[in-house]
Amino acid sequence: MARARVFIVEAEIEGRRAPVRILAFSGAMPVISVNTLETLGLRVDPVNGKIEKTEYYMLFV
């Protein structure tokens, strides 16, 4: 069983800011989740691997 701490923080990427959930646990590697990118209206271009802006929904549940 893994135990994690959950935080709500404000993230900013490519000039867009929004509250996002962060999970922290022992041995974790920092990553940006798809959920975080979608909340900020961003996506990763599968061809060049760069982050690009998309529709900005600002949905947070």
Side-chain angles (χ1 to χ4, degrees):
M1 178 170 83
R3 299 190 81 181
R5 296 178 74 186
V6 179
F7 301 91
I8 304 296
V9 301
E10 185 175 63
E12 180 176 353
I13 303 172
E14 294 291 324
R16 294 187 174 185
R17 295 168 64 163
V20 296
R21 280 177 293 234
I22 302 294
L23 299 176
F25 53 93
S26 179
M29 178 191 315
V31 297
I32 299 172
S33 71
V34 170
N35 183 277
T36 296
L37 291 173
E38 288 177 348
T39 298
L40 294 167
L42 302 169
R43 73 180 193 105
V44 176
D45 182 317
V47 175
N48 63 24
K50 295 186 179 188
I51 293 175
E52 58 185 32
K53 294 180 179 177
T54 63
E55 294 290 327
Y56 190 53
Y57 295 111
M58 190 57 188
L59 174 63
F60 182 75
V61 179

